[in-house]
Amino acid sequence: QLQLVESGGGLVQPGGSLRLSCAASGFTLDYYHIGWFRQAPGKLREGVSCITNDGGTVYYADSVKGRFTISRDNAKNTVYLQLNSLKPEDTAVYYCAADVRHCGLHDEYDYWGQGTQVTVSS
């Protein structure tokens, strides 16, 4: 079974930080580009960040650039998203996704996790 599992979400105050993890099981992430997406209540899913299979190139949505950092550790079969300076508008379910062909903020990825809730509130 090919599976992605997100973790690390929770409740945090504005200005706080979280680190989200995306762990793969049943397959290796070495050949896959990884994207992070989020979906807030009443809104469409939006691309947040992406990292290429070799970690050489990253992309960020304008709304998170300078605050979020994507990274990967292929030896651990895990991709991370560091969330800093969090704002209430960052509240959403965060998903990771893997694709062998694309690295971008689109949603055309082959594999998806179930998501982890991030809530930013005072």
Side-chain angles (χ1 to χ4, degrees):
Q1 182 180 7
L2 307 181
Q3 188 174 5
L4 296 170
V5 179
E6 302 94 336
S7 63
L11 175 64
V12 64
Q13 294 183 340
S17 298
L18 289 171
R19 188 181 73 162
L20 308 183
S21 298
C22 174
S25 63
F27 69 108
T28 178
L29 290 180
D30 292 22
Y31 301 105
Y32 289 87
H33 311 300
I34 305 297
W36 281 96
F37 299 81
R38 66 186 182 185
Q39 188 167 25
K43 295 185 177 181
L44 298 174
R45 185 168 59 195
E46 64 174 340
V48 174
S49 184
C50 180
I51 186 168
T52 53
N53 52 9
D54 62 359
T57 304
V58 298
Y59 301 96
Y60 297 99
D62 290 342
S63 59
V64 307
K65 190 174 183 179
R67 299 187 299 119
F68 293 6
T69 303
I70 191 170
S71 62
R72 67 190 301 158
D73 187 342
N74 285 350
K76 296 182 178 180
N77 226 23
T78 301
V79 176
Y80 305 96
L81 186 68
Q82 179 69 42
L83 316 179
N84 294 330
S85 302
L86 283 163
K87 305 174 181 179
E89 51 263 46
D90 295 318
T91 296
V93 177
Y94 284 71
Y95 302 88
C96 66
D99 192 88
V100 72
R101 298 175 301 277
H102 307 294
C103 182
L105 304 183
H106 57 83
D107 62 357
E108 296 178 355
Y109 284 73
D110 291 331
Y111 305 102
W112 291 82
Q114 295 298 310
T116 184
Q117 176 71 49
V118 172
T119 302
V120 184
S121 176
S122 60

